[in-house]
Amino acid sequence: MQLSIIYELRANNVKEEDIEIIMDRVKNRLSEENIDIELQKLGYPKIFTVDYDEYEYDEDEEF
């Protein structure tokens, strides 16, 4: 799982030194939410989770 996370971080242009920092900080509590928290602490946007409350929906729109 760690390799896929590192791959995704690299694909989203996270610096290698920041990837090392993030992976070190979450090593004992590895989860998508924790990685996104650490990304935001370093100034990056979330990659792994979506906050649906931030989106505005038109209740009349059909899907």
Side-chain angles (χ1 to χ4, degrees), residues 47-59:
I47 295 174
F48 298 99
T49 60
V50 176
D51 187 3
Y52 291 104
D53 293 334
E54 292 180 5
Y55 290 99
E56 292 184 25
Y57 295 101
D58 184 2
E59 293 179 19

Side-chain angles (χ1 to χ4, degrees), residues 21-33:
I21 291 169
I22 291 167
M23 296 307 289
D24 187 53
R25 289 180 181 172
V26 301
K27 64 183 170 192
N28 293 326
R29 52 186 183 87
L30 187 61
S31 73
E32 294 172 339
E33 293 85 5

Side-chain angles (χ1 to χ4, degrees), residues 4-56:
S4 61
I5 291 169
I6 292 170
Y7 174 81
E8 197 66 35
L9 291 169
R10 287 178 179 155
N12 283 277
N13 298 316
V14 176
K15 295 178 185 174
E16 287 296 322
E17 56 268 16
D18 291 339
I19 292 173
E20 290 179 28
I21 291 169
I22 291 167
M23 296 307 289
D24 187 53
R25 289 180 181 172
V26 301
K27 64 183 170 192
N28 293 326
R29 52 186 183 87
L30 187 61
S31 73
E32 294 172 339
E33 293 85 5
N34 288 339
I35 293 170
D36 277 348
I37 289 168
E38 296 301 329
L39 280 167
Q40 290 182 306
K41 287 180 183 178
L42 294 172
Y44 294 97
K46 292 180 181 182
I47 295 174
F48 298 99
T49 60
V50 176
D51 187 3
Y52 291 104
D53 293 334
E54 292 180 5
Y55 290 99
E56 292 184 25

